[in-house]
Amino acid sequence: MRFFIDGAWAEPSTGRTQNQVEAATGEIIGVAALGSEADIDAAVKAARRALDDGPWGRSTAAERAVTLRKFAEALERRAEDTSVLVSRENGMPIGLSQMLNGGAPAALLRIYADVIENLLLEEVRPSQAGSTIVRREPVGVVGAIAPWNFPQALAMFKIAPALAAGCTVVLKPSPETALDSYMFADAAREAGLPEGVLNIVLGDRDAGAALVSHPLVDKIAFTGSTEAGRIIGAECGRLIRRSTLELGGKSAAVFLEDGSIETFLSGLDNASFLNNSQTCTTQSRILIARSRYEEVVDAVANFADSYKLGNPLDPSVTMGPMATERHLDRVLGHIGIAKNSNARLVTGGSRPAELEQGWFIQPTVFADVDNNDRLAREEVFGPVMALIPFENDEDAIRIANDSNYGLGGSVWSADEDRALSVARRVRTGTIGLNYYTLDLGAPFGGFKDSGIGRELGPEGINAYLEYKSIYGSSRYLSA
């Protein structure tokens, strides 16, 4: 496989490759080239030329909006193939993949086409000496580093606002989902994106490090682990380079004593088990009012047992495998640690005997978890729930906030005003009242170790714009 650089397919600078393995079968479904520092350098230089010398750097907001909508249409024509490919790569159930890998990228492009058309990019203000022209300009060349769990959607979290703002992009996808990102390249060519505006180089950590440190890159947009985010943030700090970091989570679902079990179970899939729980907002700490504790424990265990495991391309399957064998081993390691604690294993805890191929794990529930246990402190990134009792609302808020993370969360109560009162005091970037569903029209990001900056919503474009003040005469006030 080649890379997409400067509007054309480019041969890799080395012969390094890797096999892409299907998560549900363990079988090879493709071979991908891995980029080197030289490939990243070529892509960044192409992006720089497109910004400084090409038509994109001189384009108007209206012109970019037209191109973004054409890009959306081109992606939609590939949506079904893209959805299937991602499900094969990372085990995502096909229905979810159709929404988030097939539909969401096009929706995001249209959202940011609308945003940039309606955003005031230049205004004139009176000043003591005459006037000041305040401009919003593109931040420059963006290095976008996307993860494997929602590869199409999370890449477009970065690409759409960056392109709308007038930036150019070098995308480094995750090697765990090595094949699907090139759908972007095909669609970009069809849509008529100028050469160098979007470049794609698959690579491992060395390629990512080369992108983060490249002297011609102006901003890094990263989604991934907190551990990797610390390294990237430190390098961006050293280089005085802008960065947006969307990192890990250990979010809490808070079930108050007046909560509805029926409502809770109807929302639990999105809140805690979405994408086989390979989701940064997974609410894997389930905090339960003491008076309802055993009732809710049993309900969550029964809900976990109700999942149908199997090939994610089967529409009747509700939970697919872990994305890779290495990740499966990591999840099993967390389960082993929890089994050796004082927590009580209620259901699951091992690989399903009936699925010999692929990287499957039983949905697993531990009760009586202490919030200081590793299972309650560390992100598992798999379907392993830690159930924790609390005494009252104040205790629930204390436990929810006793975490290094703050990305997602939910509060479940028959009294929505009461739930809102609790939600306002939980230190997290997003939180739902009796449901949890991400809103593409509202800012998304985390507190504490869950990251820096916000994506999505009209606010998401701000990270790709710089302010410039031009001091002029008063004649501009009447222009």
Side-chain angles (χ1 to χ4, degrees):
M1 180 178 284
R2 296 171 292 173
F3 303 132
F4 187 67
I5 298 174
D6 211 12
W9 296 108
E11 295 296 330
S13 62
T14 72
R16 293 180 62 219
T17 62
Q18 72 162 35
N19 293 329
Q20 179 64 52
V21 175
E22 186 166 8
T25 65
E27 297 175 355
I28 296 172
I29 58 173
V31 179
L34 290 176
S36 67
E37 184 175 351
D39 300 305
I40 292 291
D41 180 64
V44 171
K45 288 177 177 175
R48 189 84 251 170
R49 287 192 299 272
L51 182 75
D52 293 344
D53 305 320
W56 197 252
R58 297 186 294 274
S59 63
T60 66
E63 290 169 340
R64 294 195 296 274
V66 169
T67 302
L68 263 60
R69 293 188 180 108
K70 289 180 179 178
F71 194 5
E73 292 170 1
L75 285 173
E76 283 181 330
R77 285 188 278 274
R78 294 159 174 80
E80 188 59 35
D81 289 341
T82 301
S83 303
V84 170
L85 180 55
V86 173
S87 289
R88 297 184 72 189
E89 288 177 315
N90 72 2
M92 182 183 294
I94 186 62
L96 182 64
S97 190
Q98 288 168 340
M99 287 190 292
L100 294 178
N101 297 301
L108 286 162
L109 285 165
R110 292 191 175 103
I111 286 171
Y112 283 103
D114 292 343
V115 167
I116 198 63
E117 280 185 327
N118 292 290
L119 185 65
L120 185 64
L121 295 177
E122 186 170 293
E123 63 175 301
V124 182
R125 302 175 185 175
S127 70
Q128 292 177 341
S131 67
T132 299
I133 302 167
V134 179
R135 287 175 49 82
R136 292 183 176 96
E137 298 184 352
V139 71
V141 174
V142 174
I145 303 175
W148 52 259
N149 57 330
F150 297 93
Q152 291 277 309
L154 293 178
M156 196 55 77
F157 277 22
K158 299 150 185 56
I159 295 169
L163 296 186
C167 301
T168 56
V169 177
V170 177
L171 172 66
K172 191 208 79 68
S174 169
E176 281 79 7
T177 44
L179 307 178
D180 66 271
S181 63
Y182 292 93
M183 294 291 192
F184 286 137
D186 281 335
R189 294 182 74 180
E190 181 184 317
L193 261 71
E195 296 175 358
V197 171
L198 175 62
N199 307 272
I200 303 172
V201 177
L202 181 72
D204 54 18
R205 291 184 178 183
D206 289 342
L211 181 59
V212 170
S213 299
H214 198 288
L216 297 182
V217 169
D218 299 292
K219 173 186 169 59
I220 294 294
F222 170 78
T223 298
S225 71
T226 296
E227 179 185 14
R230 291 186 196 281
I231 297 169
I232 291 170
E235 181 67 0
C236 288
R238 184 183 73 83
L239 295 169
I240 319 297
R241 177 159 299 166
R242 283 91 178 123
S243 65
T244 302
L245 307 174
E246 196 273 284
L247 309 177
K250 194 69 184 179
S251 302
V254 180
F255 187 91
L256 302 179
E257 81 273 359
D258 65 343
S260 162
I261 289 285
E262 182 179 345
T263 300
F264 182 50
L265 295 182
S266 70
L268 194 57
D269 183 66
N270 270 357
S272 297
F273 290 99
L274 186 72
N275 192 23
N276 318 326
S277 299
Q278 296 177 136
T279 303
C280 54
T281 58
T282 292
Q283 288 147 53
S284 56
R285 287 189 302 151
I286 299 178
L287 314 186
I288 306 166
R290 179 79 68 179
S291 63
R292 303 284 301 280
Y293 185 67
E294 291 301 334
E295 175 191 2
V296 178
V297 168
D298 290 343
V300 173
N302 290 334
F303 185 85
D305 289 340
S306 73
Y307 276 96
K308 178 181 178 182
L309 276 65
N311 192 313
L313 299 181
D314 179 349
S316 69
V317 164
T318 52
M319 183 170 290
M322 300 293 93
T324 65
E325 185 175 21
R326 183 175 66 176
H327 186 57
L328 171 66
D329 290 341
R330 181 178 179 275
V331 174
L332 288 170
H334 280 284
I335 290 173
I337 292 168
K339 285 180 177 179
N340 289 320
S341 72
N342 291 323
R344 168 168 52 103
L345 177 63
V346 181
T347 192
S350 61
R351 300 190 62 178
E354 69 276 13
L355 293 170
E356 296 180 356
Q357 288 185 305
W359 322 129
F360 293 92
I361 184 72
Q362 295 172 330
T364 299
V365 176
F366 284 93
D368 307 339
V369 177
D370 188 288
N371 200 52
N372 291 315
D373 289 348
R374 287 183 62 180
L375 187 63
R377 310 302 297 185
E378 299 176 2
E379 185 175 37
V380 176
F381 223 62
V384 184
M385 301 297 122
L387 276 53
I388 303 171
F390 65 83
E391 303 302 329
N392 50 44
D393 290 9
E394 291 295 324
D395 193 35
I397 294 165
R398 178 190 62 79
I399 295 171
N401 286 334
D402 183 14
S403 173
N404 293 332
Y405 298 102
L407 188 59
S410 58
V411 185
W412 306 81
S413 170
D415 182 346
E416 188 167 287
D417 289 338
R418 178 185 179 189
L420 177 59
S421 178
V422 171
R424 282 174 169 152
R425 295 178 59 194
V426 177
R427 299 197 67 237
T428 190
T430 60
I431 191 164
L433 308 179
N434 292 313
Y435 74 95
Y436 185 88
T437 300
L438 209 63
D439 177 7
L440 298 182
F444 172 74
F447 290 13
K448 299 183 280 188
D449 288 358
S450 288
I452 297 173
R454 292 295 182 268
E455 297 182 310
L456 299 183
E459 296 83 358
I461 203 168
N462 293 336
Y464 299 92
L465 294 167
E466 292 275 27
Y467 282 94
K468 176 189 285 184
S469 296
I470 303 174
Y471 307 129
S473 66
S474 58
R475 73 184 183 88
Y476 293 105
L477 293 172
S478 57

